[in-house]
Amino acid sequence: NLVSKIIKPSVRQHSERAIMEQQQNKYISALDIGTSKVIALIGEIREDNEIHIVGLGQSPSRGLRAGMVTNIDATAQAIRQAVEDAELMADTKISHVVTGIAGNHIRSLNSQGVVKIKDGEVSQADIDRAIETAKAINIPPDHNILHTVVQEYIIDNQPGVKEPIGMSGVRLDTRVHIITGANTALQNIQKCIQRCGLQMDQIMLQPLASGHAVLTEDEKDLGVCVIDIGGGTTDIAVYTNGAIRHTAVIPVAGDLITKDLAQALRTPHSAAEYIKIHYGAAIPTMDGLDEMIEVPSVGDRQSRQISRRVLAEIIGPRVEEILELTLNELRRSGFPEEVLTSGIVLTGGASMLTGIVELAEEVFNLPARIGVPQEMGGVSERIRNPRYSTAIGLLQTAYAAEEGEQTSRTGAIALNDSGKKMGLWEKIQRFFRDNF
């Protein structure tokens, strides 16, 4: 009895302490809803204020096409599976997520707003008025502004100002990059997430998330183009002088490569995807492509043996087409190769094809590299992979937003100019204005 009296309080105290520790743990989560797969990441914010990835889940996605939802039930099922797997690994439940958006409905443009500086010194109110002026543009009635990203401020014809508050002047000029998306596309993603019992805190354009995860500040300053080749879309983001200058989404990507292989080799789609990932190459003339691989046939037909060089002859033209479409998009939008001093950064699942860096350097006549997510706590070699660039970028966005909320709790919850709590879009816009 004496032993029991000693042990029971100890066990009870330990249990209570574990519950308290679990309640004190702060988790953030990100959801990358792609055309070919859905990835869920759960990160824990430790005492050192660093993110440690504690949960990863992924599942095949069959409810999207070219980045847009075509089947809500199928998409919701894929989200639910990925989230449950991540929760099982992390041993916790999540209720809020940050997610990404892509698709050929995305539009972007650069705008400019000019206001007179009140009291001769720039205040936050002056900045807000300048940004609102820049947002006074004509957009399609079925579109909404997703992001308003400040590129630079100009005070009395002095360009390149990053932090204008407190500076003296008469005129404040704000240059911004505005990204819009279709209301229905956003609503469909939100419906899928809500069907899984989750709340969407923020939504972010996927190439911005990928760029945030794989680019360095030096690359953004010198000029760089990140090309995220996913399953259904190829996402583009151009940075110069440390700011985003152009974004675009091309509805041609890795799934078309898989489709080409399935048709040319007369093999099931799943087998073509496996062959592409493990044996695919982008340049047929490369050395080391004489290895023979087995290709399953459709039905009861016998499998066949082909060389990797034959695969490259099928894959190469499609990859070159994707890169040339990207180059044409850059030229059409007024960003010639000369401004991209740091070159090209390729990321996304299809960027892992053998020889794609060399092919990109040939197409763009610029240096190229594969972009992998930067070092983070808990990121194993499995996760530090171009396939997870968007998901990790979204998780970093969730962390930045969480830090902002923690800061506001010590003072006041983030408010708009009228003194009311900020809505979802206002929070997103304020986050991008402060962090990009």
mmCIF file of all heavy atoms in Angstrom, residues 39 56 66 86-87 109 120-121 128 147 157 164 182 189 198 200 224 244 255 267 269 285 288 356 358 393-394 403 432:
data_model
loop_
_atom_site.group_PDB
_atom_site.id
_atom_site.type_symbol
_atom_site.label_atom_id
_atom_site.label_comp_id
_atom_site.label_asym_id
_atom_site.label_seq_id
_atom_site.Cartn_x
_atom_site.Cartn_y
_atom_site.Cartn_z
ATOM 1 N N ILE A 39 0.112 16.273 -50.502
ATOM 2 C CA ILE A 39 1.126 16.138 -49.455
ATOM 3 C C ILE A 39 0.690 16.963 -48.248
ATOM 4 O O ILE A 39 0.317 18.128 -48.383
ATOM 5 C CB ILE A 39 2.504 16.626 -49.948
ATOM 6 C CG1 ILE A 39 2.981 15.792 -51.130
ATOM 7 C CG2 ILE A 39 3.521 16.575 -48.815
ATOM 8 C CD1 ILE A 39 4.245 16.310 -51.771
ATOM 9 N N LEU A 56 4.446 13.584 -41.904
ATOM 10 C CA LEU A 56 4.381 13.636 -43.367
ATOM 11 C C LEU A 56 3.376 12.607 -43.843
ATOM 12 O O LEU A 56 3.402 11.450 -43.418
ATOM 13 C CB LEU A 56 5.755 13.344 -43.987
ATOM 14 C CG LEU A 56 5.777 13.009 -45.488
ATOM 15 C CD1 LEU A 56 5.349 14.227 -46.308
ATOM 16 C CD2 LEU A 56 7.147 12.522 -45.931
ATOM 17 N N ALA A 66 -4.865 19.821 -64.161
ATOM 18 C CA ALA A 66 -4.123 21.063 -64.404
ATOM 19 C C ALA A 66 -4.233 22.011 -63.216
ATOM 20 O O ALA A 66 -4.376 23.220 -63.371
ATOM 21 C CB ALA A 66 -4.590 21.745 -65.679
ATOM 22 N N ALA A 86 -0.204 11.914 -41.866
ATOM 23 C CA ALA A 86 0.679 12.872 -41.202
ATOM 24 C C ALA A 86 0.370 12.955 -39.712
ATOM 25 O O ALA A 86 1.286 13.031 -38.879
ATOM 26 C CB ALA A 86 0.535 14.252 -41.849
ATOM 27 N N GLU A 87 -0.914 12.929 -39.358
ATOM 28 C CA GLU A 87 -1.305 12.966 -37.945
ATOM 29 C C GLU A 87 -0.826 11.721 -37.208
ATOM 30 O O GLU A 87 -0.390 11.799 -36.045
ATOM 31 C CB GLU A 87 -2.828 13.085 -37.828
ATOM 32 C CG GLU A 87 -3.379 14.441 -38.235
ATOM 33 C CD GLU A 87 -4.901 14.491 -38.187
ATOM 34 O OE1 GLU A 87 -5.534 13.416 -38.301
ATOM 35 O OE2 GLU A 87 -5.443 15.594 -38.041
ATOM 36 N N LEU A 109 -0.057 40.794 -62.678
ATOM 37 C CA LEU A 109 0.340 42.045 -63.323
ATOM 38 C C LEU A 109 1.037 42.919 -62.297
ATOM 39 O O LEU A 109 0.874 42.736 -61.079
ATOM 40 C CB LEU A 109 -0.859 42.768 -63.911
ATOM 41 C CG LEU A 109 -1.833 43.453 -62.930
ATOM 42 C CD1 LEU A 109 -2.607 44.539 -63.654
ATOM 43 C CD2 LEU A 109 -2.802 42.449 -62.315
ATOM 44 N N GLY A 120 4.597 65.137 -43.965
ATOM 45 C CA GLY A 120 5.986 65.153 -44.411
ATOM 46 C C GLY A 120 6.825 63.977 -43.977
ATOM 47 O O GLY A 120 8.040 63.948 -44.216
ATOM 48 N N GLU A 121 6.224 62.956 -43.347
ATOM 49 C CA GLU A 121 6.960 61.772 -42.901
ATOM 50 C C GLU A 121 6.109 60.534 -43.149
ATOM 51 O O GLU A 121 4.936 60.505 -42.796
ATOM 52 C CB GLU A 121 7.291 61.899 -41.411
ATOM 53 C CG GLU A 121 8.154 60.765 -40.884
ATOM 54 C CD GLU A 121 8.550 60.963 -39.433
ATOM 55 O OE1 GLU A 121 9.279 61.934 -39.157
ATOM 56 O OE2 GLU A 121 8.102 60.156 -38.574
ATOM 57 N N ASP A 128 -0.427 52.128 -46.549
ATOM 58 C CA ASP A 128 -1.694 51.445 -46.809
ATOM 59 C C ASP A 128 -2.486 52.156 -47.904
ATOM 60 O O ASP A 128 -3.078 51.507 -48.778
ATOM 61 C CB ASP A 128 -2.528 51.365 -45.529
ATOM 62 C CG ASP A 128 -1.896 50.453 -44.485
ATOM 63 O OD1 ASP A 128 -1.056 49.621 -44.868
ATOM 64 O OD2 ASP A 128 -2.242 50.584 -43.293
ATOM 65 N N HIS A 147 -2.906 37.929 -53.928
ATOM 66 C CA HIS A 147 -1.736 38.523 -53.281
ATOM 67 C C HIS A 147 -1.479 39.913 -53.841
ATOM 68 O O HIS A 147 -1.636 40.141 -55.047
ATOM 69 C CB HIS A 147 -0.473 37.679 -53.514
ATOM 70 C CG HIS A 147 -0.605 36.253 -53.100
ATOM 71 N ND1 HIS A 147 -1.033 35.875 -51.858
ATOM 72 C CD2 HIS A 147 -0.359 35.104 -53.773
ATOM 73 C CE1 HIS A 147 -1.046 34.555 -51.775
ATOM 74 N NE2 HIS A 147 -0.650 34.061 -52.935
ATOM 75 N N ASN A 157 11.014 60.390 -56.091
ATOM 76 C CA ASN A 157 11.860 59.907 -57.186
ATOM 77 C C ASN A 157 13.124 59.191 -56.711
ATOM 78 O O ASN A 157 14.046 58.968 -57.505
ATOM 79 C CB ASN A 157 12.248 61.058 -58.131
ATOM 80 C CG ASN A 157 11.040 61.671 -58.803
ATOM 81 O OD1 ASN A 157 10.114 60.964 -59.201
ATOM 82 N ND2 ASN A 157 11.031 62.997 -58.932
ATOM 83 N N PRO A 164 10.151 52.345 -45.819
ATOM 84 C CA PRO A 164 9.949 53.792 -45.936
ATOM 85 C C PRO A 164 9.464 54.488 -44.672
ATOM 86 O O PRO A 164 9.511 55.725 -44.596
ATOM 87 C CB PRO A 164 8.886 53.891 -47.029
ATOM 88 C CG PRO A 164 8.089 52.645 -46.871
ATOM 89 C CD PRO A 164 9.059 51.582 -46.426
ATOM 90 N N ALA A 182 -9.408 32.757 -59.898
ATOM 91 C CA ALA A 182 -10.853 32.593 -60.055
ATOM 92 C C ALA A 182 -11.502 32.268 -58.708
ATOM 93 O O ALA A 182 -11.006 31.430 -57.944
ATOM 94 C CB ALA A 182 -11.154 31.497 -61.064
ATOM 95 N N ILE A 189 -11.456 24.515 -53.622
ATOM 96 C CA ILE A 189 -10.402 24.043 -52.729
ATOM 97 C C ILE A 189 -10.857 24.142 -51.278
ATOM 98 O O ILE A 189 -10.661 23.224 -50.473
ATOM 99 C CB ILE A 189 -9.106 24.854 -52.952
ATOM 100 C CG1 ILE A 189 -8.484 24.491 -54.308
ATOM 101 C CG2 ILE A 189 -8.101 24.597 -51.833
ATOM 102 C CD1 ILE A 189 -7.247 25.276 -54.645
ATOM 103 N N LEU A 198 -11.341 20.481 -41.655
ATOM 104 C CA LEU A 198 -10.211 21.382 -41.466
ATOM 105 C C LEU A 198 -10.597 22.802 -41.841
ATOM 106 O O LEU A 198 -11.522 23.022 -42.632
ATOM 107 C CB LEU A 198 -9.016 20.939 -42.328
ATOM 108 C CG LEU A 198 -8.475 19.533 -42.051
ATOM 109 C CD1 LEU A 198 -7.458 19.149 -43.113
ATOM 110 C CD2 LEU A 198 -7.861 19.451 -40.663
ATOM 111 N N MET A 200 -9.128 26.361 -43.506
ATOM 112 C CA MET A 200 -8.058 26.914 -44.327
ATOM 113 C C MET A 200 -7.717 28.310 -43.813
ATOM 114 O O MET A 200 -8.482 29.246 -43.971
ATOM 115 C CB MET A 200 -8.489 26.968 -45.794
ATOM 116 C CG MET A 200 -7.403 27.434 -46.736
ATOM 117 S SD MET A 200 -7.949 27.428 -48.464
ATOM 118 C CE MET A 200 -9.099 28.813 -48.457
ATOM 119 N N VAL A 224 16.518 35.759 -60.849
ATOM 120 C CA VAL A 224 16.410 34.312 -60.975
ATOM 121 C C VAL A 224 14.991 33.954 -61.385
ATOM 122 O O VAL A 224 14.041 34.688 -61.084
ATOM 123 C CB VAL A 224 16.788 33.619 -59.629
ATOM 124 C CG1 VAL A 224 15.775 33.956 -58.553
ATOM 125 C CG2 VAL A 224 16.938 32.121 -59.785
ATOM 126 N N ILE A 244 9.561 39.873 -56.103
ATOM 127 C CA ILE A 244 8.872 39.118 -57.139
ATOM 128 C C ILE A 244 8.441 40.070 -58.252
ATOM 129 O O ILE A 244 7.909 41.150 -57.990
ATOM 130 C CB ILE A 244 7.653 38.367 -56.542
ATOM 131 C CG1 ILE A 244 7.018 37.440 -57.572
ATOM 132 C CG2 ILE A 244 6.632 39.319 -55.951
ATOM 133 C CD1 ILE A 244 7.790 36.206 -57.827
ATOM 134 N N ASP A 255 2.645 15.122 -65.904
ATOM 135 C CA ASP A 255 1.644 14.117 -66.271
ATOM 136 C C ASP A 255 1.616 13.858 -67.773
ATOM 137 O O ASP A 255 1.316 12.732 -68.203
ATOM 138 C CB ASP A 255 0.255 14.561 -65.802
ATOM 139 C CG ASP A 255 0.052 14.331 -64.313
ATOM 140 O OD1 ASP A 255 0.962 13.749 -63.677
ATOM 141 O OD2 ASP A 255 -0.997 14.728 -63.772
ATOM 142 N N THR A 267 1.970 0.745 -72.206
ATOM 143 C CA THR A 267 2.084 0.230 -70.847
ATOM 144 C C THR A 267 1.089 0.969 -69.965
ATOM 145 O O THR A 267 0.702 2.101 -70.284
ATOM 146 C CB THR A 267 3.521 0.416 -70.317
ATOM 147 O OG1 THR A 267 3.683 -0.276 -69.079
ATOM 148 C CG2 THR A 267 3.863 1.882 -70.119
ATOM 149 N N HIS A 269 -0.603 3.292 -67.085
ATOM 150 C CA HIS A 269 -0.182 4.617 -66.609
ATOM 151 C C HIS A 269 0.695 4.502 -65.366
ATOM 152 O O HIS A 269 1.696 5.216 -65.229
ATOM 153 C CB HIS A 269 -1.421 5.464 -66.315
ATOM 154 C CG HIS A 269 -1.100 6.893 -65.992
ATOM 155 N ND1 HIS A 269 -0.748 7.305 -64.717
ATOM 156 C CD2 HIS A 269 -1.060 8.017 -66.772
ATOM 157 C CE1 HIS A 269 -0.516 8.607 -64.720
ATOM 158 N NE2 HIS A 269 -0.704 9.065 -65.949
ATOM 159 N N THR A 285 21.203 11.747 -76.027
ATOM 160 C CA THR A 285 22.611 11.570 -76.400
ATOM 161 C C THR A 285 23.538 11.439 -75.202
ATOM 162 O O THR A 285 24.755 11.358 -75.365
ATOM 163 C CB THR A 285 23.065 12.752 -77.263
ATOM 164 O OG1 THR A 285 22.836 13.975 -76.553
ATOM 165 C CG2 THR A 285 22.294 12.786 -78.580
ATOM 166 N N GLY A 288 25.690 6.533 -70.709
ATOM 167 C CA GLY A 288 25.153 5.703 -69.645
ATOM 168 C C GLY A 288 23.684 5.359 -69.786
ATOM 169 O O GLY A 288 23.051 4.981 -68.792
ATOM 170 N N ILE A 356 18.042 17.004 -67.060
ATOM 171 C CA ILE A 356 17.158 18.150 -67.252
ATOM 172 C C ILE A 356 17.895 19.462 -67.007
ATOM 173 O O ILE A 356 17.585 20.481 -67.644
ATOM 174 C CB ILE A 356 15.913 18.039 -66.348
ATOM 175 C CG1 ILE A 356 14.846 19.050 -66.789
ATOM 176 C CG2 ILE A 356 16.283 18.220 -64.891
ATOM 177 C CD1 ILE A 356 13.513 18.858 -66.120
ATOM 178 N N GLU A 358 21.077 20.095 -67.790
ATOM 179 C CA GLU A 358 21.826 20.377 -69.019
ATOM 180 C C GLU A 358 20.899 20.857 -70.131
ATOM 181 O O GLU A 358 21.250 21.776 -70.892
ATOM 182 C CB GLU A 358 22.588 19.129 -69.467
ATOM 183 C CG GLU A 358 23.725 18.708 -68.547
ATOM 184 C CD GLU A 358 23.266 17.947 -67.312
ATOM 185 O OE1 GLU A 358 22.041 17.722 -67.161
ATOM 186 O OE2 GLU A 358 24.122 17.581 -66.488
ATOM 187 N N GLY A 393 7.612 25.146 -48.442
ATOM 188 C CA GLY A 393 7.400 26.585 -48.533
ATOM 189 C C GLY A 393 6.104 27.011 -47.862
ATOM 190 O O GLY A 393 6.044 28.055 -47.193
ATOM 191 N N LEU A 394 5.057 26.212 -48.017
ATOM 192 C CA LEU A 394 3.786 26.508 -47.346
ATOM 193 C C LEU A 394 3.922 26.390 -45.834
ATOM 194 O O LEU A 394 3.336 27.178 -45.082
ATOM 195 C CB LEU A 394 2.701 25.552 -47.846
ATOM 196 C CG LEU A 394 2.263 25.725 -49.305
ATOM 197 C CD1 LEU A 394 1.351 24.568 -49.723
ATOM 198 C CD2 LEU A 394 1.551 27.051 -49.507
ATOM 199 N N GLU A 403 4.118 33.211 -36.091
ATOM 200 C CA GLU A 403 4.965 34.144 -35.361
ATOM 201 C C GLU A 403 4.330 35.526 -35.309
ATOM 202 O O GLU A 403 4.393 36.220 -34.300
ATOM 203 C CB GLU A 403 6.345 34.217 -36.023
ATOM 204 C CG GLU A 403 7.198 32.992 -35.793
ATOM 205 C CD GLU A 403 7.541 32.813 -34.324
ATOM 206 O OE1 GLU A 403 8.333 33.594 -33.793
ATOM 207 O OE2 GLU A 403 6.994 31.885 -33.700
ATOM 208 N N PHE A 432 2.196 39.108 -46.991
ATOM 209 C CA PHE A 432 3.087 39.247 -48.138
ATOM 210 C C PHE A 432 3.726 40.628 -48.187
ATOM 211 O O PHE A 432 4.884 40.762 -48.580
ATOM 212 C CB PHE A 432 2.318 38.969 -49.436
ATOM 213 C CG PHE A 432 2.275 37.521 -49.768
ATOM 214 C CD1 PHE A 432 1.223 36.738 -49.337
ATOM 215 C CD2 PHE A 432 3.276 36.930 -50.476
ATOM 216 C CE1 PHE A 432 1.168 35.402 -49.621
ATOM 217 C CE2 PHE A 432 3.251 35.582 -50.760
ATOM 218 C CZ PHE A 432 2.202 34.826 -50.337
#
